[in-house]
Amino acid sequence: MRKVDVLIIGQGPAGLSAAIYTARAGMKTMVLGCAPKVAGDYDIDNYFGFDETISGRELIERGTRQAQRFGTEVLCDRVLGVHLGEQGRYHVRSEQDEYEAWAVILSTGVARVRPGIENLHDYEGKGVSYCVSCDGFFFRQKQVMVLGEGNFAANQALELLHYTPKVHVCTQGKALDMGAEFLDKLREAGIPVSERKIARLEGEDGLSAVRYEDGGHDAVDGLFIAMGQAGTSDFAVSLGLVMRKQFIEVDEQQRTNIPGIFAAGDCVGRFLQISVAVGEGALAARSAIEHVKKVRPKE
């Protein structure tokens, strides 16, 4: 378990901007996340201070080096879950490690992979869930399925074992994209994995079965959506953050409704521009610094 003061999820402009401020303030800072969309090779002409065209990739590389210069550790490591731990710390689990932090800054964007099930919406809250830690308790000893092809789905399936042994994974027709460690854990736990594709859900008073495109079906009481990577909505649900549709609700200082959790950039849904994200990252950092100073025990 690695311990830091501030853990930032997202390696985009907002996250790196926040890291520069927290690291310069003497906070032990960690940034987790891999190259975001802005790190592509397209040109940027409207960012202040650059009279020449700069690519998104170069801007991120410069920001990363700047954050590292002040002591930030930046890792390409995907976060699988964030939960409140002991003594006011937050427990963060990634594909490669586990962390504890006094403050967490979310700068994760807003993308969520939808599964393409025609009547999914009809069963949300009636058997369909996006959060194991929130709803797993309601499916004790019941038949459940996790929908997803990657490590995030594997992690959710393993977490469900705390509530029921009747767990299996469906990749929704996608190729399996799980690391060897997670595949081994699924095998050891006896969790089967299928690459079939669900066409629709069935059940009168709630979910009772999934119907596949090939005409087959399986009895299922709960379906947990975990496609692609864990993102803003997944973290928000598990932490109990107030949302504004797909965006995280924050105040003018980038504080969420949960003490110690802050958000900046596209995930808060303001003017989706790099310059705005950088400013929001600075504000989130200032709020995180103030929070850590209040809750971290004096040495």
Side-chain angles (χ1 to χ4, degrees):
M1 182 78 68
R2 302 185 62 183
K3 296 183 178 181
V4 299
D5 293 319
V6 180
L7 191 143
I8 300 167
I9 304 175
Q11 196 183 333
L16 293 171
S17 172
I20 291 166
Y21 279 83
T22 57
R24 289 184 76 235
M27 301 282 163
K28 187 173 183 180
T29 302
M30 171 81 69
V31 175
L32 299 180
C34 299
K37 182 178 179 181
V38 74
D41 291 322
Y42 60 86
D43 293 338
I44 297 172
D45 286 315
N46 62 346
Y47 189 65
F48 177 81
F50 290 85
D51 59 348
E52 78 282 9
T53 297
I54 184 172
S55 72
R57 186 180 306 279
E58 184 180 357
L59 187 65
I60 291 298
E61 289 174 351
R62 290 190 187 190
T64 300
R65 291 195 299 269
Q66 187 177 6
Q68 290 171 328
R69 179 160 64 91
F70 295 114
T72 300
E73 188 171 357
V74 181
L75 296 177
C76 180
D77 187 6
R78 293 184 175 90
V79 174
L80 300 174
V82 183
H83 305 282
L84 180 61
E86 298 179 353
Q87 300 177 329
R89 286 182 177 268
Y90 286 92
H91 178 227
V92 179
R93 176 168 181 165
S94 72
E95 291 184 348
Q96 301 177 25
D97 213 333
E98 295 185 43
Y99 306 85
E100 282 189 347
W102 293 109
V104 174
I105 298 175
L106 300 174
S107 57
T108 48
V110 293
R112 167 176 266 174
V113 179
R114 301 295 292 182
I117 299 173
E118 62 180 66
N119 61 340
L120 180 73
H121 180 72
D122 295 339
Y123 290 88
E124 289 179 339
K126 299 178 181 179
V128 171
S129 173
Y130 295 88
C131 179
V132 169
S133 60
C134 308
D135 298 329
F137 176 83
F138 301 110
F139 295 92
R140 288 169 296 169
Q141 302 305 312
K142 293 186 177 182
Q143 186 70 51
V144 295
M145 175 183 287
V146 176
L147 203 66
E149 77 284 5
N151 291 343
F152 177 41
N155 184 69
Q156 295 290 278
L158 293 165
E159 189 174 336
L160 275 166
L161 291 176
H162 294 299
Y163 308 102
T164 177
K166 306 170 186 178
V167 182
H168 61 289
V169 175
C170 175
T171 72
Q172 191 59 354
K174 293 181 176 291
L176 204 60
D177 189 27
M178 296 175 184
E181 179 183 357
F182 281 98
L183 286 171
D184 288 342
K185 287 181 178 179
L186 291 177
R187 292 191 191 99
E188 291 170 5
I191 298 176
V193 179
S194 165
E195 295 189 13
R196 299 169 83 179
K197 187 172 183 179
I198 298 171
R200 60 181 290 104
L201 307 180
E202 299 177 347
E204 292 186 7
D205 299 322
L207 180 65
S208 62
V210 296
R211 178 72 59 179
Y212 298 106
E213 281 193 342
D214 60 16
H217 73 282
D218 278 320
V220 172
D221 299 302
L223 181 67
F224 290 82
I225 311 299
M227 300 190 68
Q229 304 170 27
T232 297
S233 296
D234 302 296
F235 302 140
V237 171
S238 64
L239 290 166
L241 301 183
V242 173
M243 299 289 288
R244 189 181 72 258
K245 294 185 178 180
Q246 73 266 43
F247 302 113
I248 298 174
E249 189 69 58
V250 294
D251 66 11
E252 68 280 359
Q253 300 302 320
Q254 308 303 131
R255 294 174 295 209
T256 71
N257 61 301
I258 303 297
I261 303 293
F262 310 90
D266 288 2
C267 65
V268 304
R270 292 175 179 151
F271 189 30
L272 307 183
Q273 293 290 298
I274 295 172
S275 55
V276 175
V278 168
E280 290 175 348
L283 287 170
R286 185 176 69 175
S287 295
I289 292 166
E290 293 173 352
H291 177 80
V292 172
K293 287 181 177 179
K294 289 178 183 178
V295 301
R296 185 179 59 187
K298 300 292 188 296
E299 296 181 354

